[in-house]
Amino acid sequence: MSLPYKSLASFFLLFSFSTKGSTLGEPRVLWGALGRDVNLDIPNFQMSDVINEVRWEAEGRRVAQLKGKNQYRLNQTYEILPNGTLKIKHLERSLHNIYKVIIYNTSGTSVLDKEFHLRIQEMVSKPQISWDCSNKTLTCEVVNGTNPKLNLYQHGKYLMKGSGKIITYRWKKLTEAFSCTASNEVSEESDAVAVSCSGKRMNLFLIAGFCVGGGLLALSVALIICYTYKRKMRNGEGLEISTRRITTEEGGPKPSHIQAPPAQNPSASHPPPPPSHRPQAPCHRPLTPAHHVPQRHQKRPPPSGTQVRQQKGPPLPKPRVQPKPPRGAAENSLSAASN
């Protein structure tokens, strides 16, 4: 019985897979960048009609499966492409593992069994080059990256390398062009600079000059402010003293806390003489031709606290008030005198 050419080719393909997949050997190492996607390609494999199932496992657990037109995946992280490749999305450090692929033919026989060891690294950042003219040293440093390897070049000529995140080179003869390369298994970055010490010294001198000039300017402004403030204070004190002097010379109002002594009542200080025991004759007062207006006696102000304290002791006798003569008797006496 003759087989078609296509079936014969598939038979030889299955035979070759069976002989290669019979022994696993060492896992193939694949590298993936942290946060990126990675594809686990199956080497020397091509999909055909005799392939019935492609199964991917991690630690004995199925993570993705392609059987006919049906596809299974553990979660959104895994996906099987049409050629049987396993795609892992958004790599995390926890996805570092050994992945195994098993391929079955239509009869259910395993034709391929292979392991892949996936390792994950963080991509390196761009290196930073700095130098110190006083010490004649140049430094290349990288901030991010897993297990970076640094290589330093001068005018394209290799100088040195390092396995850490920083290397330092001490030059004997300075030339301008330096370049540094940082790399690991998943990425590579480089940077180049033109080193010049004359410009850097000039910049240091300029910075020092600006600092000194700024300090002197700030000190001058502070002195001017202090001088102006003291001068205003002195002018204010002189103006206050001159104002007090002018007020004193012009006889201005006395301060409120200085009070004038109270006026003394002469009648209170000199008591009236005691009344005499002799009777006094009534005196006749002449009448003026004009209407006589009796004078009203003004009331004396009440004695102050000082006077009250001075008049302590027995009360003084009141003076006698002489009675006024009757109006008729005075007129008769005047008429008699005129006759």
Side-chain angles (χ1 to χ4, degrees):
M1 182 178 178
S2 61
L3 296 175
Y5 175 76
K6 185 176 182 181
S7 299
L8 184 62
S10 300
F11 174 77
F12 283 111
L13 184 62
L14 287 174
F15 178 77
S16 63
F17 286 156
S18 299
T19 56
K20 291 182 180 179
S22 59
T23 56
L24 295 177
E26 293 294 330
R28 182 183 180 185
V29 178
L30 296 177
W31 295 92
L34 184 66
R36 301 293 184 90
D37 300 345
V38 66
N39 293 335
L40 304 184
D41 297 322
I42 305 173
N44 303 322
F45 173 73
Q46 185 178 0
M47 289 293 292
S48 64
D49 295 338
V50 296
I51 302 300
N52 183 45
E53 180 184 353
V54 178
R55 180 188 180 100
W56 285 90
E57 297 179 352
E59 297 181 347
R61 181 180 59 176
R62 181 180 61 171
V63 296
Q65 182 180 12
L66 179 63
K67 189 173 184 179
K69 295 182 180 180
N70 298 324
Q71 181 176 162
Y72 165 83
R73 51 185 177 179
L74 181 63
N75 50 46
Q76 298 297 326
T77 303
Y78 303 99
E79 181 184 358
I80 294 182
L81 302 180
N83 61 351
T85 298
L86 178 64
K87 182 176 183 179
I88 305 177
K89 303 176 182 179
H90 307 293
L91 286 178
E92 299 177 358
R93 297 188 185 275
S94 61
L95 297 177
H96 173 92
N97 210 330
I98 295 178
Y99 294 85
K100 181 179 180 180
V101 60
I102 306 173
I103 301 176
Y104 298 92
N105 59 11
T106 54
S107 61
T109 304
S110 173
V111 296
L112 181 63
D113 190 343
K114 194 169 184 62
E115 290 183 346
F116 300 86
H117 189 183
L118 178 62
R119 297 180 180 179
I120 301 172
Q121 286 187 340
E122 182 185 16
M123 300 177 64
V124 296
S125 59
K126 187 175 181 178
Q128 301 175 359
I129 301 176
S130 60
W131 62 94
D132 187 353
C133 293
S134 60
N135 296 330
K136 297 182 179 181
T137 56
L138 183 139
T139 302
C140 179
E141 181 179 5
V142 64
V143 178
N144 300 323
T146 305
N147 298 329
K149 297 178 181 179
L150 300 179
N151 294 278
L152 186 63
Y153 302 88
Q154 184 179 20
H155 284 295
K157 183 180 178 180
Y158 172 78
L159 292 178
M160 64 177 299
K161 66 178 180 180
S163 299
K165 289 189 175 182
I166 183 172
I167 57 174
T168 302
Y169 172 74
R170 186 179 183 88
W171 71 73
K172 296 180 180 179
K173 184 178 180 181
L174 178 62
T175 56
E176 295 182 354
F178 282 91
S179 61
C180 183
T181 301
S183 63
N184 58 8
E185 299 295 340
V186 296
S187 61
E188 181 177 345
E189 295 288 343
S190 62
D191 189 22
V193 295
V195 179
S196 177
C197 285
S198 59
K200 200 161 189 178
R201 291 176 182 175
M202 183 63 66
N203 292 336
L204 292 176
F205 291 150
L206 289 176
I207 293 172
F210 285 141
C211 292
V212 174
L216 292 177
L217 180 61
L219 181 61
S220 302
V221 172
L223 291 176
I224 291 173
I225 293 174
C226 293
Y227 175 76
T228 306
Y229 178 75
K230 289 183 178 180
R231 188 172 183 181
K232 287 184 178 180
M233 292 294 294
R234 291 176 181 176
N235 291 340
E237 292 178 358
L239 181 60
E240 184 178 356
I241 293 173
S242 60
T243 304
R244 291 179 182 176
R245 186 179 299 170
I246 293 173
T247 305
T248 306
E249 292 177 355
E250 291 181 355
K254 296 180 180 180
S256 58
H257 62 277
I258 302 176
Q259 296 182 358
Q264 296 181 356
N265 190 357
S267 61
S269 60
H270 301 283
S276 176
H277 295 285
R278 298 177 182 178
Q280 295 181 359
C283 59
H284 300 281
R285 298 178 180 178
L287 296 177
T288 57
H291 294 285
H292 178 72
V293 179
Q295 295 182 358
R296 297 180 181 179
H297 296 281
Q298 296 181 358
K299 295 182 180 181
R300 297 178 181 178
S304 61
T306 307
Q307 296 173 354
V308 171
R309 286 192 295 268
Q310 292 178 356
Q311 294 180 357
K312 289 182 180 181
L316 299 176
K318 296 182 179 181
R320 293 184 179 182
V321 179
Q322 297 179 1
K324 294 183 181 181
R327 188 175 179 84
E331 291 179 355
N332 293 331
S333 62
L334 287 175
S335 60
S338 62
N339 294 326

